[in-house]
Amino acid sequence: MTQSRRTIEQLLNQGTLPTEKADTSALLLDVYPSKRTWLQFFDKALLIVGGVALVLSLVFFIAYNWLYMGKLAKFALVEGALAITIALYVALSFRQRFAFIRQLLLLIASIITGSLLALFGQVYQTGADTWQLFFGWAVLIIPWVIIARFPALWLLWLGLINTVTLFYIDTSLFFGIDYYYQDFWQFTLITVINVIAFYLWLICFEDKRDSGLSNLSLSDLSLSSVTTDIAINSKFNSSTTLHTAAKSSLHWSTYVVGLLSTYTITYLTISTFFDNKNILLFLVAISLWLSWCVFMHWRFRKRTTDLLMLTYLSGSVIAVVVFILGKALLSDFDAGGFLLLGLVLIGMSSYAVVWLRKVARLKNENNLPHTTVKREQL
């Protein structure tokens, strides 16, 4: 049960909030999405899907008609689309309108830039390495990444950096390291990049939960503020304070980067353990993984509480432990080993679910206001 729902139920049980006003209060506290919320979601979602589909249609059109179009027509089509996109962005910027549309236009322009570089390499057969395409793409869109302040564009740029790192180390000796250890250091570098990006994301989208419902009392959420303030703002601006309290503390893109960093550091630990190249490399990998686990537990359990991030942590711990035990127990594919490994997996998964439910319950209890309602304030 969410914090907002528990607050409304407590007000109803105390008789402070009339039953006929419960639906209105639930809309104000975002217990369930309002009509306006759904419209805003579909508006942005359809704009993003339509913009990306438009860019992809340009790429597929050129690919399908490759034999029937000359070099000039191909470049004119891509460069014309890029010029139109930039012109629309400049026009809207001068008028200081449609901020989201401007951000989306920069995202479209960034994707078209990559298509233009790929077209140039395909037409003139430059023979450049794959990593150079993505490196040039990432460098060219840096100004737009900075100007747009658009998380989707940041995710695109982070993906390009990961791709550059992946392809670059595959084609050259990284800092003169022996080829035998290239895979380890390749994924170690990718892991460090994603963990740093995750930390920067947390800084950019700082947790503002402390200014939410935990600082409000039941008297602040009484009839005068929950119902009457729907029509008039008397005690405080309920449309900002209550919405901030009810919504998630982290931006959606933070969860995407968190999932990416979880995957990379978990894969690094497991793959290093199975490679058997060097015990020192495994100690380095397990040290990085343990440090990441400590940080995740401190940041999302001790400092603040975020169940999805703690779920990432639980999944990583389960995966690493199961793979390590699996190598020890399944060397001879013994049936007893499979049984024991299955029991361990069931036990760890069950414990993780119980722990997450307990954390969720404690989170709701700690965030609930504890001040008794004074009816004379109504």
Side-chain angles (χ1 to χ4, degrees), residues 28 211-212 233 236-247:
L28 180 63
S211 60
N233 296 326
F236 56 82
N237 191 349
S238 60
S239 63
T240 57
T241 307
L242 296 178
H243 278 260
T244 302
K247 293 183 179 179

Side-chain angles (χ1 to χ4, degrees), residues 167-191:
F167 284 117
Y168 174 75
I169 301 179
D170 280 340
T171 58
S172 60
L173 291 178
F174 184 64
F175 293 117
I177 297 174
D178 191 345
Y179 182 79
Y180 187 66
Y181 301 112
Q182 283 287 304
D183 292 341
F184 171 79
W185 292 110
Q186 177 189 54
F187 224 84
T188 299
L189 181 59
I190 293 176
T191 299

Side-chain angles (χ1 to χ4, degrees), residues 54-72:
L54 189 63
V55 177
L56 294 179
S57 67
L58 174 65
V59 176
F60 290 134
F61 177 82
I62 295 176
Y64 184 80
N65 297 279
W66 185 266
L67 298 178
Y68 307 103
M69 298 177 64
K71 297 180 181 179
L72 183 60

Side-chain angles (χ1 to χ4, degrees), residues 103-179:
Q103 293 175 329
L104 184 59
L105 286 172
L106 288 181
L107 175 62
I108 294 174
S110 300
I111 299 176
I112 296 177
T113 301
S115 304
L116 180 60
L117 293 177
L119 176 63
F120 181 84
Q122 187 67 27
V123 169
Y124 294 104
Q125 294 295 322
T126 58
D129 293 327
T130 306
W131 71 269
Q132 294 177 338
L133 166 66
F134 294 99
F135 179 76
W137 187 359
V139 171
L140 289 176
I141 67 174
I142 285 178
W144 295 340
V145 172
I146 298 174
I147 293 173
R149 291 178 294 178
F150 191 31
L153 188 52
W154 296 350
L155 290 175
L156 172 63
W157 194 80
L158 178 61
L160 292 176
I161 295 301
N162 279 273
T163 307
V164 169
T165 307
L166 186 65
F167 284 117
Y168 174 75
I169 301 179
D170 280 340
T171 58
S172 60
L173 291 178
F174 184 64
F175 293 117
I177 297 174
D178 191 345
Y179 182 79

Side-chain angles (χ1 to χ4, degrees), residues 313-364:
L313 173 61
S314 302
S316 178
V317 172
I318 292 173
V320 171
V321 173
V322 167
F323 272 93
I324 291 177
L325 290 177
K327 186 177 181 180
L329 297 175
L330 304 180
S331 57
D332 298 327
F333 293 95
D334 182 38
F338 280 103
L339 176 61
L340 182 59
L341 189 63
L343 293 175
V344 170
L345 178 59
I346 294 174
M348 293 186 66
S349 301
S350 302
Y351 179 80
V353 172
V354 172
W355 178 64
L356 290 172
R357 288 173 61 88
K358 179 180 178 181
V359 170
R361 185 176 67 254
L362 291 176
K363 173 187 175 183
N364 290 331

